[in-house]
Amino acid sequence: MRRIDTWSRGRWRTIVAGAFGLIASIAVADLPERESREHLRVCADANNLPFTNRQGEGFENRIAEMIAAELDVPLRYVHAPQVMGFIRNTLDARLCDLVMGVAAGYEFVQNTLPYYRSVYSLVVPKGSDLEATHLEAATLEGKQIGVIFETPPTVPLRRAGAHLQSYALQTDTRVRTPARDAVEDVAKGVTDGAVIWGPLAGYYAARQNPPLAVVPLVDDTSQARLIYAITMGVRHGEPQWRDWLNDFIRRRQADIDALLVDYHVPLLDEHGRLMSPAATSGEARRD
């Protein structure tokens, strides 16, 4: 009788312990992957303003700080130049858990919802007769226009008869900043204008003396892809982490928009329409 009672008690303990273990494992499985992390690890370029730098001065630095604050964990960076192999050598190598500033549809990461949309823009001196919102403008013919090598505006600018001044696409940002060089050449009169990615155009144009005009190319019909939706990238196989970030983006979209306006980023809504700064203070856009 004692042996049966002992077995029964022991068996009951095993069953109860197993049940609690099953419940605990289900609870852990239901938590986002981020719950087990002690800090937020972000892969970023250490010299890539207005996006990121080692001093944390870029707008992607600021957004990462917002995420870490909501997670209530310290923010850690893995710095590497954003050149070929960046994702493979950082995120895929599990050195970090998040990459900011990834174009929607980039297959090497799992994309979140877009947290902003922008467009290639024309940078010219204020009052210039080149202030056109498309790349078919007759005023471009014969003008010296700066462009980053092999970016989407290159072909339509050639068709428009512009003389192109090319700047490197792939470069070590510790040594060169081609977009800044292109904008500074406009300010110096070396070129008549430059067509570069909107966030770069807005940021560097505002830092010239006097500031340059930035004209978003929202009316372009050249078939070049000039508008991009920008997401955050996480590893494939981490859907709960992605879903948490999607919720963060939805809840904090107005704050993100206001921050981007501070950095002079030309913002578009989901329909490709230019957003006014006033629109970012409320229901700016939702997916």
Side-chain angles (χ1 to χ4, degrees):
M1 186 70 175
R2 180 178 176 80
R3 288 181 60 193
I4 294 175
D5 290 343
T6 302
W7 180 89
S8 298
R9 289 194 297 271
R11 182 63 174 166
W12 178 248
R13 291 192 191 99
T14 301
I15 292 171
V16 171
F20 276 114
L22 177 61
I23 293 169
S25 66
I26 293 172
V28 170
D30 285 343
L31 291 174
E33 295 91 342
R34 54 120 187 153
E35 293 288 354
S36 62
R37 296 183 181 133
E38 296 180 355
H39 44 255
L40 174 64
R41 302 182 304 168
V42 177
C43 309
D45 194 312
N47 302 277
N48 194 29
L49 289 175
F51 309 105
T52 55
N53 71 355
R54 192 176 298 277
Q55 292 74 36
E57 297 170 328
F59 65 75
E60 289 175 358
N61 294 122
R62 300 277 299 281
I63 296 171
E65 290 169 7
M66 292 163 57
I67 296 170
E70 288 219 4
L71 292 171
D72 194 25
V73 295
L75 175 59
R76 301 282 186 268
Y77 283 103
V78 173
H79 287 121
Q82 285 196 353
V83 295
M84 190 174 296
F86 176 77
I87 295 295
R88 181 180 66 250
N89 296 328
T90 55
L91 187 68
D92 286 349
R94 309 191 77 85
L95 297 179
C96 53
D97 307 302
L98 179 64
V99 175
M100 310 291 290
V102 179
Y106 186 63
E107 62 182 348
F108 295 104
V109 302
Q110 186 176 201
N111 297 103
T112 65
L113 293 173
Y115 61 100
Y116 76 95
R117 294 173 177 82
S118 194
V119 59
Y120 275 82
S121 299
L122 175 65
V123 179
V124 293
K126 289 186 177 180
S128 169
D129 61 1
L130 289 180
E131 289 191 26
T133 57
H134 58 89
L135 293 177
E136 296 85 8
T139 53
L140 291 169
E141 185 175 1
K143 299 296 185 180
Q144 192 79 13
I145 305 295
V147 64
I148 305 300
F149 182 67
E150 291 187 342
T151 52
T154 303
V155 172
L157 282 170
R158 285 199 183 109
R159 284 203 301 260
H163 301 306
L164 300 189
Q165 172 66 49
S166 292
Y167 300 82
L169 174 63
Q170 291 283 341
T171 186
D172 188 337
T173 55
R174 293 169 296 185
V175 179
R176 297 182 60 191
T177 308
R180 182 183 62 195
D181 295 342
V183 173
E184 288 181 350
D185 280 350
V186 177
K188 296 173 184 175
V190 175
T191 56
D192 299 302
V195 178
I196 56 178
W197 174 229
L200 294 163
Y203 181 77
Y204 286 115
R207 279 156 179 75
Q208 305 310 307
N209 187 19
L212 300 173
V214 176
V215 186
L217 297 170
V218 292
D219 298 324
D220 191 68
T221 58
S222 68
Q223 305 304 312
R225 186 181 178 187
L226 302 183
I227 296 174
Y228 288 84
I230 303 302
T231 74
M232 302 175 196
V234 301
R235 274 183 295 275
H236 290 288
E238 297 186 351
Q240 292 171 317
W241 176 217
R242 177 206 60 202
D243 291 346
W244 186 92
L245 289 165
N246 284 342
D247 180 65
F248 168 85
I249 292 167
R250 290 188 187 99
R251 288 185 291 101
R252 302 297 298 274
Q253 187 66 72
D255 296 328
I256 294 170
D257 288 342
L259 173 63
L260 293 169
V261 169
D262 286 344
Y263 280 77
H264 307 280
V265 177
L267 294 178
L268 306 183
D269 64 18
E270 61 267 32
H271 303 294
R273 297 174 302 208
L274 191 63
M275 294 167 56
S276 67
T280 66
S281 61
E283 293 297 316
R285 54 187 164 88
R286 294 293 183 269
D287 290 291

